[in-house]
Amino acid sequence: MASHPIFAPDQQNLFLDFFEQNNYAVVADALPRADIDFLNDFVERSQRQHPVEWRLDKAVHSHAQILVHHPELDPYIQAPVTFPLVKAIMGPQVRFAQFDFRDVPVGIGEKAAMHFHRDRGAVPKDYWDQNKHQCIFLCAIYYLTDVGEDDTSFCVVPNSQAYETLEEAQQQLGKKYQEVAIRGSAGTAVFYNIGIYHTRKVGANDTGRRTLH
């Protein structure tokens, strides 16, 4: 696996340069400790009170409609560290599309694995075909738990957005092809162009992982 840089919040220009070249980038300390604790406490309390909404019978617990009933989460749509980066990439008229927690429990192991895929369902095919080298949609994933070297992590294939299959990306990118597992402490944020191939990579440590998308 290739390593990756992690940029500090005050390294905005370096972060943006790296994103432009790779279609992903990672920033540290995107959320302060108080916010990380608040969000983790919120998830655990909500899961106790509304287990059906969190699909606790599934391998990966998630809740994609939580903003409807919880306005206390609204500030995290435009987090102070990351929202300026969003606007710098997407432009000043950027529109919000998703707010979703993902919770991979301890001990799930291979049940939490995914195949490499692209999040293109929200983009009409004709528009995608005309703009596939651009960042049409941007996703930011916040780690709410620490992700170490052997933990389950998010994983991206940089600059793979123009290829119809992962195999084609491997062939065409050649030596530039990488599968980059993203490591970082709680509060780290991963930005990626939804057109690039990505997955959840199960690590040797079956410790679980919680994220905000």
Side-chain angles (χ1 to χ4, degrees):
M1 287 292 178
S3 60
H4 60 85
I6 299 181
F7 298 98
D10 62 355
Q11 294 179 304
Q12 182 176 22
N13 290 338
L14 292 174
F15 175 96
L16 294 171
D17 287 344
F18 187 88
F19 184 91
E20 184 176 355
Q21 295 171 26
N22 296 277
N23 278 271
Y24 87 96
V26 184
V27 61
D29 301 319
L31 293 173
R33 186 74 247 178
D35 287 350
I36 296 167
D37 292 342
F38 170 81
L39 291 168
N40 278 309
D41 289 345
F42 174 87
V43 169
E44 290 160 13
R45 183 174 66 254
S46 182
Q47 287 182 353
R48 290 194 303 269
Q49 295 172 348
H50 308 287
V52 175
E53 293 181 7
W54 282 89
R55 303 190 300 175
L56 296 188
D57 59 331
K58 305 294 184 181
V60 176
H61 308 154
S62 65
H63 198 313
Q65 303 297 329
I66 203 140
L67 282 179
V68 174
H69 299 295
H70 294 281
E72 66 269 32
L73 297 175
D74 287 354
Y76 299 100
I77 296 173
Q78 297 184 7
V81 169
T82 55
F83 194 62
L85 299 172
V86 172
K87 291 195 294 184
I89 293 169
M90 301 299 292
Q93 301 301 317
V94 63
R95 290 178 291 176
F96 166 78
Q98 177 189 14
F99 190 98
D100 184 15
F101 291 99
R102 308 283 174 85
D103 200 10
V104 180
V106 174
I108 289 297
E110 287 299 325
K111 291 182 180 179
M114 300 174 70
H115 64 279
F116 276 104
H117 63 284
R118 298 179 291 178
D119 301 330
R120 293 189 350 193
V123 184
K125 186 178 185 306
D126 57 345
Y127 188 79
W128 174 265
D129 289 343
Q130 294 173 29
N131 299 278
K132 60 188 176 183
H133 291 287
Q134 300 176 20
C135 185
I136 302 169
F137 277 69
L138 175 70
C139 186
I141 296 180
Y142 300 84
Y143 283 179
L144 299 181
T145 54
D146 295 338
V147 177
E149 188 64 30
D150 295 320
D151 295 331
T152 295
S153 67
F154 187 64
C155 183
V156 298
V157 178
N159 296 324
S160 56
Q161 68 274 16
Y163 305 106
E164 290 300 320
T165 66
L166 185 66
E167 291 72 21
E168 182 185 354
Q170 291 173 319
Q171 293 172 0
Q172 295 298 322
L173 290 171
K175 293 182 179 179
K176 294 182 179 180
Y177 179 88
Q178 295 177 309
E179 296 178 7
V180 183
I182 309 296
R183 318 295 184 187
S185 58
T188 298
V190 185
F191 278 49
Y192 70 97
N193 176 346
I194 68 163
I196 68 173
Y197 286 94
H198 55 277
T199 190
R200 182 189 306 117
K201 185 72 71 174
V202 175
N205 291 335
D206 203 356
T207 53
R209 180 176 67 101
R210 181 177 292 156
T211 53
L212 169 62
H213 297 228

